[in-house]
Amino acid sequence: MKRRRLGLIVQFSKMIWHKKTWFLIPILTMLLIGVLLLVIVESPVLLPFFYAIF
């Protein structure tokens, strides 16, 4: 399964390089940061700190 995911990432990076769609890199980076933030917020220990911020 891990090899399949890695293949998907390699194929996607080749597509970005070939079609010169550089604008996708910042969009995907922000999407990845958002997903990581959601995973961190799910932790019940850190939840009160995020309530205080937002």
Side-chain angles (χ1 to χ4, degrees), residues 7-25 28:
L8 181 65
I9 293 170
V10 169
Q11 185 178 4
F12 190 72
S13 64
K14 284 181 182 179
M15 187 268 305
I16 288 176
W17 184 262
H18 178 70
K19 293 190 178 213
K20 305 287 191 248
T21 52
W22 303 114
F23 66 91
L24 289 176
I25 294 172
L28 292 175

